[in-house]
Amino acid sequence: MYGKLIDTAIEKLSDQFKAVDEIAFVNQQKVLNAFINNRVALRHFNPTTGYGYDDVARDTLNKIYAEVFGTEDAIVSPLITSGTHALTIALFGLLRPNQTLLCITGKPYDTLNDVIFGEGYGSLKDFGVRCKIVPLKDGAPDIPAIKAAIRGENPSVVMIQRSRGYDMRPALSVEQINELIALADRQKSKILLDNCYGEFVQATEPSQADAIVGSLIKNVGGGIAPTGGYICGSRAAINMIEGRLTAPSIGREVGSYAGDYRLFYQGLFMAPHVTAQSVKTAMLFSQVLSALGYETMPKPNEKFYDIICSVKFGDENKLIDFCKTIQSASPVDSFAAPEPWDMPGYNDKVIMAAGAFVQGASIELSCDAPIRPPYIAYFQGGLTLEHGIIALRKCVAALGGE
């Protein structure tokens, strides 16, 4: 029906697809229970203006996220512009001058580089915060080195990045994250988890972290939320962070949204299903592109712990052509041809295919890549598996397959 190569891949993935559906069911029940327990009603969708005092829609959304993620408290806000912004708020909320941030899963994602190490415009470094990085070993956390760094550096915050960023390494499972959290001295250190791309991929969330951070235009927004970010965690951590969301004197007591809150609620409700569609699409891309001779990660039949399939092309032109093909299969701006450019926050030129209804939403079918050897594309998203299959057919044809 879709072409022999794709049909064969779908058949091989039947058991994995079934497992993904089972996870989606568990997560859907969890989200539904949170809506019911918090008595969501039509009034929760109404917009607010000005200061937003007593914004019941905002406050109820916070409670729902805390329940879904299994944490004591949460901040969910359209005032947060991106995952990087959410992480920045959390970092500045938890850290103080002359303290140490320890990153135990290698160098953080490119857009955090200036947040942590920049000079002269308000970075953590400018405020006297030291940052130490424990490099990955063979693509995995280096446990002996992490233990030594925790003992030697006495960090105030230990940061874990769940997804791969622009590294060719596997995403971390909830179980692996919990093992890393257990290494820290919780009397001295708070755990900050960059949870982007990993929400609802498993049946549980890494709720043991002090702060779990992500973007609403990725998994948890279900392809519907128009903007925003979330920070879930312990009440003590959220109390420290909320002053950096607005101001220390007002925290979460203010913050209106003149748009439609319904999109945030409905996006979260759809998120388990949409995430499952994205995971299936990434699995299928891995299976088919691997069959065409490209190195993918995760490899076929390996478990996925985020929604991303990395594809190593080893050639700049092939990488660019792949991204252009993804763009051409998009429902929005399909006629546009993405080109590498100096995107704000990145160290290299970046090409980004994102023909999305919500600008830059990586839960929608998209891919991006830094223009640097070995020329790896990071493919993610897909609101429906059917759309993923259609895009994959175009990619197979462009790469010289059937």
Side-chain angles (χ1 to χ4, degrees), residues 198-220:
E199 304 94 342
F200 298 133
V201 174
Q202 292 182 259
T204 59
E205 298 295 331
S207 57
Q208 295 180 35
D210 294 282
I212 307 168
V213 182
S215 166
L216 300 192
I217 63 170
K218 295 183 175 69
N219 302 25
V220 290

Side-chain angles (χ1 to χ4, degrees), residues 46-99:
N46 293 334
T48 57
T49 59
Y51 295 122
Y53 289 129
D54 300 318
D55 186 337
V56 67
R58 177 197 65 213
D59 295 344
T60 302
L61 195 60
N62 291 341
K63 293 176 182 177
I64 290 171
Y65 265 76
E67 182 172 336
V68 168
F69 281 85
T71 59
E72 293 177 337
D73 211 342
I75 297 170
V76 187
S77 176
L79 303 179
I80 300 174
T81 60
S82 65
T84 298
H85 186 200
L87 287 162
T88 300
I89 293 168
L91 286 166
F92 276 89
L94 295 176
L95 287 159
R96 299 291 182 266
N98 302 316
Q99 291 184 342

Side-chain angles (χ1 to χ4, degrees), residues 31 59 63 71 80 103 109 140 145 148 199 213 222 242 250 260 262 264 273 299 317 328 398:
V31 171
D59 295 344
K63 293 176 182 177
T71 59
I80 300 174
C103 302
Y109 188 60
E199 304 94 342
V213 182
E242 66 176 16
I250 53 179
D260 185 352
R262 176 184 62 83
F264 300 104
H273 174 73
K299 293 179 172 60
N317 292 327
S328 72

Side-chain angles (χ1 to χ4, degrees), residues 192-385:
L192 173 60
L193 173 67
D194 178 353
N195 204 34
C196 286
Y197 302 102
E199 304 94 342
F200 298 133
V201 174
Q202 292 182 259
T204 59
E205 298 295 331
S207 57
Q208 295 180 35
D210 294 282
I212 307 168
V213 182
S215 166
L216 300 192
I217 63 170
K218 295 183 175 69
N219 302 25
V220 290
I224 296 176
T227 186
Y230 74 88
I231 305 168
C232 297
S234 68
R235 188 155 289 114
I238 295 299
N239 287 343
M240 293 176 71
I241 292 167
E242 66 176 16
R244 295 302 167 190
L245 174 70
T246 54
S249 59
I250 53 179
R252 283 178 293 162
E253 294 299 315
V254 303
S256 64
Y257 185 63
D260 185 352
Y261 272 109
R262 176 184 62 83
L263 301 176
F264 300 104
Y265 283 88
Q266 190 173 3
L268 176 60
F269 184 77
M270 293 297 298
H273 174 73
V274 171
T275 299
Q277 297 293 293
S278 293
V279 172
K280 288 180 180 179
T281 299
M283 286 178 169
L284 188 56
F285 266 72
S286 176
Q287 190 83 33
V288 170
L289 295 179
S290 179
L292 289 175
Y294 295 96
E295 182 182 345
T296 62
M297 181 174 285
K299 293 179 172 60
N301 302 317
E302 288 184 340
K303 288 187 177 181
F304 276 65
Y305 296 121
D306 63 8
I307 63 168
I308 299 171
C309 172
S310 305
V311 187
K312 184 186 291 187
F313 287 98
D315 180 274
E316 180 177 345
N317 292 327
K318 283 186 177 181
L319 168 65
I320 292 172
D321 288 345
F322 177 77
C323 292
K324 288 182 175 180
T325 302
I326 294 296
Q327 184 75 32
S328 72
S330 300
V332 181
D333 291 331
S334 60
F335 52 85
E339 296 288 348
W341 66 297
D342 294 310
M343 194 170 178
Y346 292 85
N347 297 324
D348 302 279
K349 286 183 180 294
V350 173
I351 185 168
M352 185 169 289
F357 293 98
V358 174
Q359 188 182 67
S362 46
I363 190 61
E364 300 186 50
L365 194 76
S366 56
C367 72
D368 54 282
I371 305 301
R372 64 185 182 220
Y375 302 107
I376 300 169
Y378 298 87
F379 170 86
Q380 64 264 320
L383 300 179
T384 69
L385 176 60

Side-chain angles (χ1 to χ4, degrees), residues 27-45:
N27 285 322
Q28 189 68 71
Q29 183 71 69
K30 187 194 315 178
V31 171
L32 177 60
N33 287 345
F35 274 63
I36 293 170
N37 294 340
N38 287 279
R39 301 173 65 85
V40 173
L42 289 175
R43 63 191 174 91
H44 291 114
F45 305 155

